[in-house]
Amino acid sequence: MDRVVNVSLNTVQNGKFMIRTLDELSLDSIYISNPAAINQLISCGARTTPDEPFVELPQDDAWFYMNAITNAISPICARDYIFADMDQPTISKWYRFALTFEKDSIKGRKFRVILVSEELLEKIATMNKPILESVGHTGRWNLLVEMSKKYRKPELLFVGPQILQRIQLTIAVNQHGSNTLP
């Protein structure tokens, strides 16, 4: 089983569904060389199926696993969090992520952190299916539809316990609204 975690932003822009890789991390870097945690996570990943790719984490350890992922994602915005703390212009948005292990192809067999805005999770229920940037994105779109169902039913946020972890991401902007700063 692959020991890589792909972190991707899943978004719809101008009617087109797109997936953008933000980072690829090793399990060792996320779980700070904790072999017991990594082995347990690999076992959880092995139990996923093509129809149910969400990684079901042990109830007692779910927070530990998801918090470590939150800590791995947060550095994307490290400088921007400091700008916000200094009362400099920033914009923020709330996201949810799920941990999956998709087994639909040999090349795609890896842990994935599926990051999607809460705003999009709300809209999915009522929007028309977007144009897919790639025909290979059908499975991912279907996964987002499932995430949206869980998001809109609070009792499903913790199923099995599958967690749609919440994270706020922030970027600094200049007075013109651009995120290009000196």
Side-chain angles (χ1 to χ4, degrees):
M1 182 170 288
D2 204 322
R3 296 173 69 91
V4 172
V5 179
N6 174 281
V7 180
S8 65
L9 176 64
N10 298 258
T11 186
V12 174
Q13 296 177 6
N14 300 319
K16 184 185 286 186
F17 174 59
M18 300 181 293
I19 301 170
R20 295 293 178 262
T21 298
L22 301 178
D23 209 347
E24 290 219 339
L25 306 164
S26 71
L27 290 176
D28 287 316
S29 69
I30 296 172
Y31 298 105
I32 317 299
S33 301
N34 181 336
I38 292 168
N39 290 337
Q40 180 172 294
L41 185 61
I42 289 171
S43 293
C44 292
R47 290 192 292 271
T48 65
T49 66
D51 293 331
E52 190 56 50
F54 294 98
V55 175
E56 291 190 22
L57 300 166
Q59 183 77 39
D60 292 343
D61 298 323
W63 181 88
F64 164 77
Y65 283 106
M66 298 305 268
N67 188 62
I69 293 170
T70 299
N71 291 341
I73 294 171
S74 291
I76 293 169
C77 300
R79 179 177 170 212
D80 305 299
Y81 293 141
I82 295 169
F83 270 83
D85 186 61
M86 294 176 163
D87 296 322
Q88 297 301 305
T90 60
I91 55 174
S92 297
K93 194 171 191 177
W94 284 101
Y95 291 82
R96 294 284 177 149
F97 67 83
L99 179 62
T100 67
F101 190 85
E102 300 166 47
K103 295 180 176 178
D104 52 354
S105 72
I106 295 298
K107 69 177 181 162
R109 289 176 157 270
K110 64 175 91 170
F111 287 99
R112 295 181 185 277
V113 173
I114 311 300
L115 184 67
V116 59
S117 72
E118 289 184 345
E119 179 182 7
L120 180 56
L121 289 173
E122 286 285 344
K123 290 179 183 177
I124 286 175
T126 57
M127 70 188 289
N128 293 326
K129 183 177 178 180
I131 297 166
L132 303 179
E133 186 175 42
S134 165
V135 72
H137 292 170
T138 301
R140 182 64 63 83
W141 177 254
N142 294 338
L143 190 73
L144 261 61
V145 170
E146 289 304 309
M147 287 177 69
S148 176
K149 289 176 187 175
K150 291 175 186 345
Y151 175 73
R152 289 179 288 108
K153 292 184 178 177
E155 68 275 12
L156 295 180
L157 287 178
F158 297 88
V159 176
Q162 295 168 153
I163 299 175
L164 294 182
Q165 182 73 27
R166 192 172 198 222
I167 185 171
Q168 185 181 36
L169 299 178
T170 299
I171 61 167
V173 295
N174 63 25
Q175 65 269 21
H176 304 292
S178 169
N179 70 339
T180 304
L181 294 171

